[in-house]
Amino acid sequence: MDKEKVIEYLKKKESQMEECQHLFLKIKEGQNYYGFHSSDCGYDPCVVTCLKCGLTNRFIEMDSIDKKYDMMLRWRNPYYNGFIEVNDKIFRKQYGHAWRRGGKSFDDSVFNLISNEVWNVNRPMLLYSIAKLIRPDADDTEIFDIMKTLYEIETPEERAKLNNIEQAQELIDRYNNRKVRVLRNEKK
C-alpha cells in the first residue's frame, strides 16, 4: 500500500471535516446511567453522523465488543485506521466542549440535527446526496423525508451495491416516477 496516498487522503479528509458546516443524523439515542449516588450517574451522548463529510462520534461511543472487532479492521486497513484517528481528533476538537460535570454529561444541543428522529441506516451520506440532487432547494425536513422515501423504495440489491450518485440513476427515476395516492374523505 502506498503510504503517500494514505497520507494525502487523510489530509484531504481532515481539512474537509474541519471546514464542513455539519448537518448531523442521529443514529442512536443517548442513554442515561443512574447510580446510588449522583457521582455514579452518567450519560452517553447520542451517536451522530454528519451527512456532508462523515464526521461521527460512533467510534468514540463504541462498546468494548465492537471496539475489539474494529481494532482488527484498523490493523488490516491503513485508510480505515487513519480515517478513525482523524475523525476522533476532529470530533473531540469541535465538540469536546459539550462535555459537562467532569465528563458525566453531554449537551446534545451542540449538534445541528436534520431531524430529532433516530434513524440508523447504512450510507446516510449517499441518501442525503441523492435527496439534495432531487430537490436542491428543499429544507432539512423535506430532505429528510426524501431520504426516508428513497430508503423505502430501494431494492435489496441497490442497498448492497450502491456506492455513488452515478449508480443511483435508476433509484432517482423510480422516485420521480412513483405514483402518489391521495386519499379524500367524501360524504356519502
Side-chain angles (χ1 to χ4, degrees):
M1 187 145 310
D2 192 9
K3 192 172 183 173
E4 288 89 33
K5 286 183 181 179
V6 173
I7 292 169
E8 182 181 323
Y9 164 78
L10 294 176
K11 284 181 182 178
K12 182 179 174 186
K13 196 66 181 168
E14 184 173 358
S15 67
Q16 179 190 17
M17 288 177 168
E18 284 180 338
E19 296 168 8
C20 183
Q21 298 296 318
H22 301 297
L23 178 62
F24 289 103
L25 173 68
K26 190 187 296 188
I27 58 175
K28 183 180 175 189
E29 191 64 64
Q31 186 172 7
N32 284 308
Y33 295 99
Y34 300 101
F36 181 71
H37 190 269
S38 65
S39 64
D40 298 336
C41 299
Y43 177 72
D44 286 345
C46 60
V47 178
V48 294
T49 299
C50 178
L51 296 170
K52 297 177 182 178
C53 71
L55 183 69
T56 182
N57 63 342
R58 182 172 65 93
F59 307 112
I60 298 170
E61 299 302 324
M62 200 178 278
D63 64 29
S64 60
I65 295 171
D66 288 338
K67 255 193 193 347
K68 285 182 182 180
Y69 178 71
D70 193 60
M71 288 305 289
M72 291 188 312
L73 290 174
R74 291 174 71 171
W75 179 72
R76 301 177 124 218
N77 187 339
Y79 281 99
Y80 182 67
N81 182 48
F83 170 78
I84 291 174
E85 289 174 359
V86 166
N87 176 78
D88 291 356
K89 179 178 107 178
I90 299 298
F91 192 89
R92 284 188 173 103
K93 180 179 172 184
Q94 292 183 354
Y95 295 100
H97 66 280
W99 283 103
R100 305 281 188 248
R101 293 183 53 234
K104 293 197 177 272
S105 84
F106 190 88
D107 180 14
D108 287 341
S109 68
V110 298
F111 298 128
N112 178 25
L113 296 173
I114 192 168
S115 170
N116 283 324
E117 183 179 333
V118 176
W119 193 40
N120 190 2
V121 63
N122 291 331
R123 304 175 347 271
M125 291 174 60
L126 179 61
L127 290 173
Y128 177 76
S129 298
I130 295 169
K132 285 298 276 184
L133 184 67
I134 291 171
R135 295 267 325 268
D137 58 336
D139 66 1
D140 290 346
T141 305
E142 291 172 306
I143 292 293
F144 188 63
D145 289 340
I146 293 170
M147 289 170 63
K148 291 189 332 188
T149 303
L150 287 168
Y151 183 76
E152 289 172 5
I153 65 173
E154 253 184 331
T155 64
E157 292 81 22
E158 287 172 330
R159 285 193 185 135
K161 294 181 181 178
L162 283 182
N163 292 320
N164 56 46
I165 292 177
E166 292 79 29
Q167 296 174 341
Q169 190 57 50
E170 188 176 312
L171 177 63
I172 294 168
D173 293 342
R174 200 170 333 118
Y175 177 85
N176 290 330
N177 295 330
R178 75 190 191 295
K179 293 186 181 189
V180 180
R181 283 195 214 156
V182 178
L183 301 175
R184 294 188 178 137
N185 292 332
E186 295 181 15
K187 292 182 182 180
K188 292 184 179 185

